[in-house]
Amino acid sequence: MEGSQGGLAAVARLEPNYYLHDTVVPRGRLVEVLERIYEISREQDLVVLNVFHAGDGNLHPIFAYDRRVDGIMDRVHAAGAGVIKASLDAGGVLTGEHGIGLEKQPYMSLLFSDEQLAQQDLVRSVFDPRRLANPMKVIPTGATCGDIQYLHSVPDGVWA
């Protein structure tokens, strides 16, 4: 295996589950954000590994955990929120290459105004008026029936 695939396979030797994140930070603030990510891992008592192409500021911290441990998912989610906050505080963005899914939608308003989000939604509706492509992705959910339908089809505990 090459690159991140080999790295992800190695994570399984530490813990059976992992949570891979994707944010981007200005390269000049990379060390500061990495230090904060290690602080977050200590605060949440989680193992963190970094497999990334940091030369372009793209970070992929991986929190390794065992989901059978009581309360672990709260700590994992808190760590993920901490990574997002640290990246945004450093002038970064929510994603570098993996896009915005269910997990990051609540944070879109930290980067974009309501008007900007509405414009993004309008552009999406032009290309996908029935919202069949990647439902619940990219734009925070509105109050459409289609969004509610897909929300109920996502199993508990899944990050999409």
Side-chain angles (χ1 to χ4, degrees), residues 1-12 49 51 62:
M1 289 186 182
E2 292 183 19
S4 64
Q5 289 107 4
L8 290 176
V11 172
L49 305 101
V51 177
I62 301 168

Side-chain angles (χ1 to χ4, degrees), residues 2-160:
E2 292 183 19
S4 64
Q5 289 107 4
L8 290 176
V11 172
R13 297 189 65 132
L14 299 173
E15 294 286 357
N17 307 106
Y18 67 87
Y19 174 31
L20 172 68
H21 233 296
D22 167 49
T23 63
V24 177
V25 299
R27 289 179 297 190
R29 307 224 24 214
L30 183 61
V31 172
E32 168 191 338
V33 174
L34 283 172
E35 287 174 348
R36 179 64 189 125
I37 289 170
Y38 288 115
E39 288 173 12
I40 291 166
S41 72
R42 286 189 298 274
E43 291 167 2
Q44 298 300 329
D45 194 25
L46 294 169
V47 174
V48 67
L49 305 101
N50 283 290
V51 177
F52 53 86
H53 34 109
D56 62 3
N58 199 329
L59 299 176
H60 295 295
I62 301 168
F63 293 99
Y65 64 97
D66 183 340
R67 70 182 218 171
R68 297 170 293 189
V69 173
D70 287 336
I72 193 78
M73 296 310 298
D74 290 335
R75 296 189 345 243
V76 169
H77 285 283
V83 168
I84 290 172
K85 184 172 181 348
S87 297
L88 295 178
D89 287 350
V93 295
L94 291 171
T95 184
E97 61 189 329
H98 296 284
I100 304 297
L102 295 175
E103 160 205 18
K104 290 185 179 176
Q105 285 181 5
Y107 301 99
M108 289 283 284
S109 63
L110 297 177
L111 285 178
F112 301 104
S113 69
D114 288 343
E115 181 181 340
Q116 291 169 323
L117 290 171
Q119 290 171 347
Q120 291 176 37
D121 194 46
L122 178 62
V123 169
R124 178 180 177 171
S125 69
V126 168
F127 293 100
D128 185 17
R130 294 179 53 211
R131 301 202 183 263
L132 299 175
N134 295 315
M136 303 285 294
K137 300 284 179 107
V138 182
I139 305 299
T141 58
T144 66
C145 296
D147 289 342
I148 294 168
Q149 166 192 340
Y150 291 111
L151 180 61
H152 292 294
S153 66
V154 177
D156 288 341
V158 169
W159 286 298

